[in-house]
Amino acid sequence: MANYVELVELIVRRLVTKPEEVFVSEERSEAGAILISVKVAQEDIGRVIGKKGSTINAIRHVAKAASIKSGEKVDVDVKEEE
């Protein structure tokens, strides 16, 4: 089983201007799906999402590619600070 949190955190930390404010967590549903949640500084949200969502979609593709061998379902979501 791959460590999806480390993978996503490595990618996101290299994209943002405040890498110390990156927080990545993992939740598993009862059905076995894995949801990776990413929290970044407010000013870095646009960098992580990208134009028309292209950056976050690329991160999702990398996570899904890493999960193919194990057969797990992985999704990545960016959470906004409340």
Side-chain angles (χ1 to χ4, degrees):
M1 178 172 70
N3 189 339
Y4 306 110
V5 172
E6 280 185 21
L7 175 65
V8 172
E9 188 172 6
L10 176 76
I11 295 168
V12 172
R13 283 187 185 271
R14 302 219 190 281
L15 291 173
V16 298
T17 58
K18 294 185 177 180
E20 67 277 358
E21 293 189 32
V22 171
F23 179 73
V24 181
S25 62
E26 175 182 305
E27 290 180 35
R28 291 182 181 261
S29 71
E30 292 178 15
I34 301 169
L35 175 64
I36 306 296
S37 298
V38 179
K39 290 184 182 177
V40 296
Q42 187 68 31
E43 58 267 20
D44 286 331
I45 289 177
R47 287 178 175 271
V48 174
I49 294 174
K51 193 177 278 189
K52 296 183 181 178
S54 61
T55 305
I56 191 63
N57 283 335
I59 295 170
R60 287 178 179 136
H61 284 296
V62 170
K64 287 179 183 178
S67 72
I68 288 174
K69 191 171 185 179
S70 64
E72 296 173 310
K73 182 178 180 342
V74 178
D75 193 25
V76 180
D77 193 25
V78 178
K79 301 289 184 186
E80 291 192 39
E81 293 293 322
E82 293 142 17

